[in-house]
Amino acid sequence: MANRIKGITVEIGGDTTNLLKALKNVDSSIKSTQTQLRDVNKLLKLDPGNTELLAQKHRLLGDAVGQTKQRLERVAVS
């Protein structure tokens, strides 16, 4: 039998401080949005027909998508 390479580990040294700083801001806004969504969902369990809460949830979900897109773009650029 031929010898097989079972795994290769490549380590590339790089400075990731700029990436971490950029992601820190986005991550904090994502966390805030998640907290707000959790609160809205709790309120919707008490009053599922509240249209204002449904509109707020819809807006927060849109914000979450935008923030996730922004995070992915910052990772791709770095």
Side-chain angles (χ1 to χ4, degrees):
M1 268 191 158
N3 292 335
R4 291 185 167 200
I5 298 174
K6 294 190 178 195
I8 298 175
T9 303
V10 178
E11 184 176 332
I12 299 173
D15 187 18
T16 60
T17 55
N18 291 335
L19 173 62
L20 295 176
K21 286 179 185 177
L23 290 179
K24 184 177 181 181
N25 293 333
V26 176
D27 288 343
S28 66
S29 65
I30 289 173
K31 185 176 179 179
S32 172
T33 302
Q34 288 174 344
T35 302
Q36 291 175 1
L37 270 170
R38 194 174 312 118
D39 292 341
V40 169
N41 283 330
K42 287 178 185 177
L43 291 173
L44 279 171
K45 285 183 182 180
L46 298 174
D47 186 11
N50 190 332
T51 56
E52 291 179 21
L53 286 174
L54 291 171
Q56 186 177 4
K57 181 177 180 178
H58 182 71
R59 182 185 54 80
L60 287 170
L61 288 172
D63 291 347
V65 169
Q67 291 165 349
T68 303
K69 181 180 176 185
Q70 185 180 22
R71 187 178 197 284
L72 289 172
E73 288 172 350
R74 289 193 183 185
V75 170
V77 170
S78 296

